[in-house]
Amino acid sequence: QKEVEQNSGPLSVPEGAIASLNCTYSDRGSQSFFWYRQYSGKSPELIMSIYSNGDKEDGRFTAQLNKASQYVSLLIRDSQPSDSATYLCAVTSSGGYQKVTFGTGTKLQVIP
Amino acid sequence: NAGVTQTPKFQVLKTGQSMTLQCAQDMNHNSMYWYRQDPGMGLRLIYYSASEGTTDKGEVPNGYNVSRLNKREFSLRLESAAPSQTSVYFCASLGTMGTDTQYFGPGTRLTVL
């Protein structure tokens, strides 16, 4: 079992719709969870971080964390073509916050 | 404030050649990382350094060595390059608090022929 799992996609949504990206992780002791966006040929950039159960909203983005189910998600409201990218889920290890494991990423395509 | 810088941006090697990828950060971060990214594989951790003077293996350390030269610099060395090491390499750094996030360099695209 991979430590961090994501559906590779592509996930296609029409412009203006809600995109829902999901991630599961295996380490029950993980404390910190991140969503990164990566455009083709570029380095990952952080868009959301979440540390406690529940929802965290930032503009059009909402991160949701459920530690009991070992599940973290990212919702993108009013999706725009500029949101088309690969979204990477990252989780810190219970052995130390310094060790970060990434999922393989979900490719999102927003159709105009 | 340049953040995380990497050199070179592109490199082509022949099988068996050696090279060192350089990384530096100016954010006074304690932890630094080397990842490789291959199509469909996401980011895989090669080595990381939680603090100056320490290094630890990640998921895919074979064929690589690292040096944490000082707090700012973390280099990755390929002693005898193989075609399987063709990849994009990213360096990252992380602050001192558990809620800090990683900041990535622009990447090095390496091709081994």
Side-chain angles (χ1 to χ4, degrees), chain A residues 29-78:
Chain A
S30 296
Q31 297 294 323
S32 303
F33 307 87
F34 308 97
W35 283 99
Y36 286 82
R37 178 176 62 199
Q38 187 176 27
Y39 293 113
S40 181
K42 301 294 185 182
S43 55
E45 56 177 332
L46 180 76
I47 52 172
M48 288 289 288
S49 58
I50 187 166
Y51 308 101
S52 55
N53 281 331
D55 295 359
K56 179 181 178 182
E57 187 174 318
D58 184 0
R60 295 187 296 113
F61 300 97
T62 298
Q64 299 174 315
L65 175 61
N66 184 326
K67 289 186 178 180
S69 300
Q70 295 173 248
Y71 176 90
V72 59
S73 65
L74 178 70
L75 299 178
I76 306 175
R77 289 181 299 281
D78 188 23

Short mmCIF file of all heavy atoms in Angstrom, two decimals, chain A residues 29-78:
data_model
loop_
_atom_site.label_atom_id
_atom_site.label_comp_id
_atom_site.label_asym_id
_atom_site.label_seq_id
_atom_site.Cartn_x
_atom_site.Cartn_y
_atom_site.Cartn_z
N GLY A 29 -0.39 8.48 12.35
CA GLY A 29 0.19 9.52 13.18
C GLY A 29 0.53 10.81 12.44
O GLY A 29 1.02 11.75 13.05
N SER A 30 0.22 10.88 11.16
CA SER A 30 0.51 12.10 10.40
C SER A 30 -0.23 13.28 10.98
O SER A 30 -1.39 13.16 11.39
CB SER A 30 0.13 11.90 8.93
OG SER A 30 0.92 10.89 8.34
N GLN A 31 0.44 14.42 11.00
CA GLN A 31 -0.14 15.61 11.64
C GLN A 31 -0.40 16.76 10.68
O GLN A 31 -1.22 17.62 10.96
CB GLN A 31 0.81 16.09 12.74
CG GLN A 31 1.00 15.11 13.87
CD GLN A 31 -0.28 14.90 14.66
OE1 GLN A 31 -1.04 15.83 14.87
NE2 GLN A 31 -0.53 13.66 15.06
N SER A 32 0.36 16.80 9.59
CA SER A 32 0.27 17.96 8.69
C SER A 32 -0.01 17.48 7.28
O SER A 32 0.56 16.49 6.83
CB SER A 32 1.58 18.76 8.71
OG SER A 32 1.89 19.16 10.02
N PHE A 33 -0.89 18.24 6.60
CA PHE A 33 -1.36 17.82 5.28
C PHE A 33 -1.36 19.03 4.35
O PHE A 33 -1.77 20.12 4.75
CB PHE A 33 -2.78 17.24 5.41
CG PHE A 33 -2.85 16.16 6.45
CD1 PHE A 33 -3.08 16.48 7.78
CD2 PHE A 33 -2.66 14.83 6.10
CE1 PHE A 33 -3.11 15.50 8.76
CE2 PHE A 33 -2.69 13.84 7.07
CZ PHE A 33 -2.91 14.18 8.39
N PHE A 34 -0.91 18.81 3.14
CA PHE A 34 -0.73 19.92 2.22
C PHE A 34 -1.27 19.57 0.84
O PHE A 34 -1.24 18.41 0.43
CB PHE A 34 0.77 20.26 2.09
CG PHE A 34 1.46 20.48 3.40
CD1 PHE A 34 2.18 19.45 3.99
CD2 PHE A 34 1.41 21.71 4.03
CE1 PHE A 34 2.83 19.64 5.19
CE2 PHE A 34 2.05 21.90 5.24
CZ PHE A 34 2.76 20.87 5.83
N TRP A 35 -1.73 20.59 0.15
CA TRP A 35 -2.06 20.47 -1.26
C TRP A 35 -1.17 21.42 -2.04
O TRP A 35 -1.09 22.61 -1.73
CB TRP A 35 -3.53 20.81 -1.52
CG TRP A 35 -4.46 19.71 -1.14
CD1 TRP A 35 -5.20 19.62 0.01
CD2 TRP A 35 -4.76 18.54 -1.90
NE1 TRP A 35 -5.94 18.46 0.00
CE2 TRP A 35 -5.68 17.78 -1.16
CE3 TRP A 35 -4.34 18.05 -3.14
CZ2 TRP A 35 -6.21 16.57 -1.61
CZ3 TRP A 35 -4.85 16.86 -3.59
CH2 TRP A 35 -5.78 16.12 -2.83
N TYR A 36 -0.50 20.86 -3.04
CA TYR A 36 0.36 21.64 -3.92
C TYR A 36 -0.24 21.60 -5.33
O TYR A 36 -0.82 20.59 -5.75
CB TYR A 36 1.77 21.06 -3.99
CG TYR A 36 2.61 21.31 -2.76
CD1 TYR A 36 2.48 20.50 -1.63
CD2 TYR A 36 3.53 22.35 -2.73
CE1 TYR A 36 3.25 20.72 -0.51
CE2 TYR A 36 4.31 22.58 -1.61
CZ TYR A 36 4.18 21.76 -0.50
OH TYR A 36 4.95 21.98 0.61
N ARG A 37 -0.05 22.67 -6.04
CA ARG A 37 -0.42 22.74 -7.46
C ARG A 37 0.87 22.78 -8.27
O ARG A 37 1.81 23.50 -7.94
CB ARG A 37 -1.24 24.00 -7.73
CG ARG A 37 -1.64 24.22 -9.18
CD ARG A 37 -2.53 25.44 -9.30
NE ARG A 37 -1.84 26.65 -8.87
CZ ARG A 37 -2.46 27.77 -8.52
NH1 ARG A 37 -3.78 27.84 -8.52
NH2 ARG A 37 -1.75 28.82 -8.17
N GLN A 38 0.88 22.01 -9.36
CA GLN A 38 2.06 21.98 -10.22
C GLN A 38 1.64 22.11 -11.67
O GLN A 38 0.97 21.23 -12.22
CB GLN A 38 2.86 20.69 -10.01
CG GLN A 38 4.18 20.68 -10.76
CD GLN A 38 5.01 19.44 -10.49
OE1 GLN A 38 4.48 18.39 -10.16
NE2 GLN A 38 6.33 19.57 -10.62
N TYR A 39 2.06 23.20 -12.28
CA TYR A 39 1.85 23.37 -13.71
C TYR A 39 2.95 22.60 -14.45
O TYR A 39 4.05 22.41 -13.93
CB TYR A 39 1.88 24.84 -14.09
CG TYR A 39 0.73 25.65 -13.54
CD1 TYR A 39 0.92 26.63 -12.58
CD2 TYR A 39 -0.57 25.42 -14.00
CE1 TYR A 39 -0.14 27.37 -12.09
CE2 TYR A 39 -1.64 26.16 -13.50
CZ TYR A 39 -1.42 27.12 -12.55
OH TYR A 39 -2.47 27.85 -12.04
N SER A 40 2.64 22.20 -15.66
CA SER A 40 3.57 21.41 -16.45
C SER A 40 4.91 22.13 -16.60
O SER A 40 4.96 23.30 -16.99
CB SER A 40 2.97 21.14 -17.84
OG SER A 40 3.83 20.35 -18.61
N GLY A 41 5.98 21.43 -16.26
CA GLY A 41 7.32 22.00 -16.40
C GLY A 41 7.74 22.94 -15.29
O GLY A 41 8.82 23.53 -15.35
N LYS A 42 6.88 23.09 -14.29
CA LYS A 42 7.17 24.01 -13.19
C LYS A 42 7.32 23.24 -11.88
O LYS A 42 7.02 22.05 -11.80
CB LYS A 42 6.06 25.05 -13.04
CG LYS A 42 5.83 25.88 -14.29
CD LYS A 42 7.03 26.76 -14.60
CE LYS A 42 6.75 27.68 -15.77
NZ LYS A 42 7.94 28.53 -16.10
N SER A 43 7.77 23.93 -10.84
CA SER A 43 7.91 23.30 -9.53
C SER A 43 6.59 23.40 -8.76
O SER A 43 5.75 24.26 -9.06
CB SER A 43 9.05 23.95 -8.75
OG SER A 43 8.86 25.33 -8.64
N PRO A 44 6.37 22.52 -7.81
CA PRO A 44 5.14 22.58 -7.02
C PRO A 44 5.06 23.86 -6.19
O PRO A 44 6.07 24.36 -5.70
CB PRO A 44 5.25 21.36 -6.09
CG PRO A 44 6.25 20.46 -6.74
CD PRO A 44 7.22 21.37 -7.42
N GLU A 45 3.83 24.36 -6.05
CA GLU A 45 3.61 25.52 -5.19
C GLU A 45 2.46 25.21 -4.24
O GLU A 45 1.44 24.62 -4.63
CB GLU A 45 3.28 26.76 -6.03
CG GLU A 45 2.10 26.61 -6.95
CD GLU A 45 1.75 27.87 -7.71
OE1 GLU A 45 2.03 28.98 -7.19
OE2 GLU A 45 1.19 27.76 -8.82
N LEU A 46 2.63 25.62 -2.99
CA LEU A 46 1.63 25.32 -1.97
C LEU A 46 0.37 26.14 -2.19
O LEU A 46 0.43 27.35 -2.44
CB LEU A 46 2.19 25.64 -0.59
CG LEU A 46 1.23 25.37 0.56
CD1 LEU A 46 1.16 23.87 0.82
CD2 LEU A 46 1.66 26.12 1.81
N ILE A 47 -0.80 25.48 -2.11
CA ILE A 47 -2.05 26.23 -2.17
C ILE A 47 -2.85 26.11 -0.88
O ILE A 47 -3.59 27.03 -0.54
CB ILE A 47 -2.92 25.82 -3.38
CG1 ILE A 47 -3.12 24.31 -3.45
CG2 ILE A 47 -2.30 26.32 -4.67
CD1 ILE A 47 -4.12 23.91 -4.52
N MET A 48 -2.73 25.01 -0.16
CA MET A 48 -3.48 24.85 1.08
C MET A 48 -2.71 23.97 2.05
O MET A 48 -2.05 23.03 1.63
CB MET A 48 -4.85 24.20 0.84
CG MET A 48 -5.87 25.07 0.15
SD MET A 48 -6.49 26.39 1.21
CE MET A 48 -7.49 25.46 2.36
N SER A 49 -2.83 24.26 3.33
CA SER A 49 -2.33 23.37 4.38
C SER A 49 -3.44 23.19 5.40
O SER A 49 -4.26 24.09 5.60
CB SER A 49 -1.09 23.97 5.04
OG SER A 49 -1.38 25.24 5.58
N ILE A 50 -3.49 22.03 6.04
CA ILE A 50 -4.51 21.76 7.05
C ILE A 50 -3.93 20.85 8.10
O ILE A 50 -3.17 19.91 7.77
CB ILE A 50 -5.80 21.20 6.39
CG1 ILE A 50 -6.94 21.09 7.41
CG2 ILE A 50 -5.54 19.87 5.70
CD1 ILE A 50 -8.31 20.87 6.79
N TYR A 51 -4.27 21.09 9.36
CA TYR A 51 -3.63 20.37 10.45
C TYR A 51 -4.64 19.73 11.41
O TYR A 51 -4.26 18.87 12.21
CB TYR A 51 -2.73 21.31 11.25
CG TYR A 51 -1.76 22.06 10.38
CD1 TYR A 51 -1.99 23.38 10.02
CD2 TYR A 51 -0.62 21.43 9.89
CE1 TYR A 51 -1.11 24.06 9.19
CE2 TYR A 51 0.26 22.11 9.07
CZ TYR A 51 0.01 23.43 8.72
OH TYR A 51 0.89 24.09 7.91
N SER A 52 -5.91 20.15 11.36
CA SER A 52 -6.90 19.59 12.27
C SER A 52 -8.14 19.16 11.49
O SER A 52 -8.39 19.64 10.38
CB SER A 52 -7.28 20.60 13.35
OG SER A 52 -7.71 21.80 12.78
N ASN A 53 -8.90 18.27 12.07
CA ASN A 53 -10.11 17.76 11.41
C ASN A 53 -11.07 18.89 11.07
O ASN A 53 -11.20 19.87 11.81
CB ASN A 53 -10.82 16.76 12.32
CG ASN A 53 -10.17 15.40 12.31
OD1 ASN A 53 -9.57 14.98 11.32
ND2 ASN A 53 -10.26 14.70 13.43
N GLY A 54 -11.74 18.73 9.93
CA GLY A 54 -12.74 19.71 9.54
C GLY A 54 -12.37 20.36 8.22
O GLY A 54 -11.62 19.80 7.43
N ASP A 55 -12.94 21.51 8.00
CA ASP A 55 -12.76 22.25 6.75
C ASP A 55 -11.90 23.49 6.99
O ASP A 55 -11.97 24.12 8.04
CB ASP A 55 -14.11 22.70 6.19
CG ASP A 55 -14.97 21.53 5.77
OD1 ASP A 55 -14.52 20.37 5.90
OD2 ASP A 55 -16.11 21.76 5.33
N LYS A 56 -11.14 23.85 5.97
CA LYS A 56 -10.38 25.09 5.97
C LYS A 56 -10.57 25.74 4.61
O LYS A 56 -10.30 25.10 3.59
CB LYS A 56 -8.90 24.84 6.25
CG LYS A 56 -8.05 26.10 6.25
CD LYS A 56 -6.59 25.76 6.50
CE LYS A 56 -5.73 27.01 6.45
NZ LYS A 56 -4.29 26.69 6.64
N GLU A 57 -11.04 26.98 4.63
CA GLU A 57 -11.35 27.66 3.38
C GLU A 57 -10.37 28.80 3.13
O GLU A 57 -9.98 29.53 4.04
CB GLU A 57 -12.79 28.22 3.45
CG GLU A 57 -13.29 28.81 2.16
CD GLU A 57 -14.76 29.22 2.26
OE1 GLU A 57 -15.55 28.46 2.86
OE2 GLU A 57 -15.10 30.30 1.75
N ASP A 58 -10.01 28.94 1.86
CA ASP A 58 -9.14 30.05 1.46
C ASP A 58 -9.53 30.43 0.04
O ASP A 58 -9.15 29.77 -0.93
CB ASP A 58 -7.67 29.63 1.51
CG ASP A 58 -6.73 30.79 1.19
OD1 ASP A 58 -7.22 31.92 0.92
OD2 ASP A 58 -5.50 30.57 1.20
N GLY A 59 -10.35 31.48 -0.06
CA GLY A 59 -10.83 31.89 -1.37
C GLY A 59 -11.68 30.82 -2.01
O GLY A 59 -12.66 30.35 -1.41
N ARG A 60 -11.31 30.40 -3.21
CA ARG A 60 -12.10 29.37 -3.91
C ARG A 60 -11.73 27.96 -3.47
O ARG A 60 -12.33 26.99 -3.93
CB ARG A 60 -11.88 29.51 -5.43
CG ARG A 60 -12.39 30.81 -6.01
CD ARG A 60 -12.30 30.81 -7.54
NE ARG A 60 -10.92 30.74 -8.02
CZ ARG A 60 -10.40 29.72 -8.67
NH1 ARG A 60 -11.14 28.64 -8.92
NH2 ARG A 60 -9.14 29.75 -9.09
N PHE A 61 -10.74 27.83 -2.63
CA PHE A 61 -10.24 26.52 -2.21
C PHE A 61 -10.72 26.16 -0.81
O PHE A 61 -10.74 27.00 0.09
CB PHE A 61 -8.71 26.50 -2.23
CG PHE A 61 -8.10 26.77 -3.57
CD1 PHE A 61 -7.67 28.04 -3.91
CD2 PHE A 61 -7.97 25.75 -4.50
CE1 PHE A 61 -7.10 28.28 -5.16
CE2 PHE A 61 -7.41 25.99 -5.74
CZ PHE A 61 -6.98 27.26 -6.07
N THR A 62 -11.13 24.90 -0.65
CA THR A 62 -11.46 24.37 0.66
C THR A 62 -10.78 23.03 0.84
O THR A 62 -10.93 22.14 0.01
CB THR A 62 -12.98 24.17 0.84
OG1 THR A 62 -13.64 25.42 0.71
CG2 THR A 62 -13.30 23.57 2.21
N ALA A 63 -9.99 22.92 1.91
CA ALA A 63 -9.39 21.63 2.26
C ALA A 63 -10.22 20.99 3.36
O ALA A 63 -10.71 21.67 4.26
CB ALA A 63 -7.95 21.82 2.73
N GLN A 64 -10.39 19.68 3.28
CA GLN A 64 -11.15 18.93 4.27
C GLN A 64 -10.28 17.79 4.79
O GLN A 64 -9.65 17.09 4.00
CB GLN A 64 -12.43 18.37 3.64
CG GLN A 64 -13.36 19.43 3.10
CD GLN A 64 -14.54 18.83 2.35
OE1 GLN A 64 -14.38 17.91 1.56
NE2 GLN A 64 -15.74 19.36 2.61
N LEU A 65 -10.27 17.63 6.11
CA LEU A 65 -9.45 16.59 6.72
C LEU A 65 -10.30 15.73 7.64
O LEU A 65 -11.06 16.24 8.46
CB LEU A 65 -8.30 17.20 7.51
CG LEU A 65 -7.41 16.25 8.31
CD1 LEU A 65 -6.71 15.25 7.40
CD2 LEU A 65 -6.40 17.05 9.13
N ASN A 66 -10.15 14.42 7.51
CA ASN A 66 -10.80 13.46 8.40
C ASN A 66 -9.74 12.45 8.81
O ASN A 66 -9.42 11.51 8.09
CB ASN A 66 -11.96 12.77 7.68
CG ASN A 66 -12.72 11.82 8.58
OD1 ASN A 66 -12.15 11.19 9.47
ND2 ASN A 66 -14.02 11.71 8.38
N LYS A 67 -9.16 12.66 9.99
CA LYS A 67 -8.06 11.81 10.44
C LYS A 67 -8.53 10.40 10.76
O LYS A 67 -7.79 9.44 10.58
CB LYS A 67 -7.37 12.42 11.65
CG LYS A 67 -6.55 13.66 11.32
CD LYS A 67 -5.78 14.15 12.53
CE LYS A 67 -4.93 15.36 12.19
NZ LYS A 67 -4.17 15.85 13.36
N ALA A 68 -9.76 10.26 11.23
CA ALA A 68 -10.27 8.92 11.55
C ALA A 68 -10.35 8.06 10.29
O ALA A 68 -10.04 6.86 10.33
CB ALA A 68 -11.64 9.03 12.21
N SER A 69 -10.73 8.67 9.19
CA SER A 69 -10.81 7.95 7.91
C SER A 69 -9.52 8.04 7.11
O SER A 69 -9.43 7.44 6.03
CB SER A 69 -11.97 8.50 7.08
OG SER A 69 -13.20 8.34 7.77
N GLN A 70 -8.55 8.80 7.61
CA GLN A 70 -7.26 9.00 6.94
C GLN A 70 -7.49 9.51 5.52
O GLN A 70 -6.99 8.94 4.54
CB GLN A 70 -6.46 7.70 6.96
CG GLN A 70 -6.08 7.31 8.39
CD GLN A 70 -5.43 5.96 8.47
OE1 GLN A 70 -5.98 5.00 9.02
NE2 GLN A 70 -4.23 5.86 7.94
N TYR A 71 -8.19 10.60 5.46
CA TYR A 71 -8.69 11.13 4.19
C TYR A 71 -8.56 12.65 4.21
O TYR A 71 -8.91 13.30 5.18
CB TYR A 71 -10.15 10.71 4.06
CG TYR A 71 -10.89 11.21 2.87
CD1 TYR A 71 -10.91 10.49 1.69
CD2 TYR A 71 -11.63 12.40 2.94
CE1 TYR A 71 -11.64 10.93 0.60
CE2 TYR A 71 -12.35 12.84 1.85
CZ TYR A 71 -12.36 12.10 0.69
OH TYR A 71 -13.08 12.53 -0.38
N VAL A 72 -8.03 13.18 3.11
CA VAL A 72 -7.97 14.63 2.95
C VAL A 72 -8.41 14.97 1.53
O VAL A 72 -8.10 14.23 0.59
CB VAL A 72 -6.55 15.15 3.28
CG1 VAL A 72 -5.51 14.53 2.40
CG2 VAL A 72 -6.49 16.66 3.21
N SER A 73 -9.16 16.06 1.40
CA SER A 73 -9.66 16.42 0.08
C SER A 73 -9.46 17.90 -0.17
O SER A 73 -9.22 18.69 0.76
CB SER A 73 -11.13 16.04 -0.06
OG SER A 73 -11.91 16.81 0.83
N LEU A 74 -9.57 18.26 -1.43
CA LEU A 74 -9.48 19.65 -1.85
C LEU A 74 -10.64 19.94 -2.79
O LEU A 74 -10.83 19.21 -3.77
CB LEU A 74 -8.16 19.93 -2.57
CG LEU A 74 -7.97 21.35 -3.08
CD1 LEU A 74 -7.77 22.32 -1.91
CD2 LEU A 74 -6.77 21.44 -4.04
N LEU A 75 -11.42 20.96 -2.46
CA LEU A 75 -12.50 21.41 -3.33
C LEU A 75 -12.10 22.74 -3.95
O LEU A 75 -11.60 23.63 -3.25
CB LEU A 75 -13.80 21.60 -2.53
CG LEU A 75 -14.36 20.36 -1.83
CD1 LEU A 75 -15.62 20.75 -1.05
CD2 LEU A 75 -14.68 19.27 -2.84
N ILE A 76 -12.31 22.85 -5.25
CA ILE A 76 -12.06 24.10 -5.96
C ILE A 76 -13.39 24.57 -6.51
O ILE A 76 -13.97 23.91 -7.40
CB ILE A 76 -11.04 23.91 -7.10
CG1 ILE A 76 -9.75 23.28 -6.57
CG2 ILE A 76 -10.74 25.26 -7.74
CD1 ILE A 76 -8.74 22.95 -7.67
N ARG A 77 -13.88 25.67 -5.98
CA ARG A 77 -15.16 26.21 -6.45
C ARG A 77 -14.93 27.12 -7.64
O ARG A 77 -13.85 27.71 -7.81
CB ARG A 77 -15.85 27.00 -5.33
CG ARG A 77 -16.38 26.12 -4.21
CD ARG A 77 -17.07 26.99 -3.15
NE ARG A 77 -16.14 27.96 -2.57
CZ ARG A 77 -15.26 27.65 -1.64
NH1 ARG A 77 -15.16 26.41 -1.19
NH2 ARG A 77 -14.45 28.58 -1.14
N ASP A 78 -15.98 27.26 -8.47
CA ASP A 78 -15.91 28.15 -9.64
C ASP A 78 -14.61 27.90 -10.41
O ASP A 78 -13.80 28.80 -10.65
CB ASP A 78 -15.98 29.62 -9.19
CG ASP A 78 -16.11 30.59 -10.33
OD1 ASP A 78 -16.57 30.18 -11.42
OD2 ASP A 78 -15.71 31.76 -10.17
#
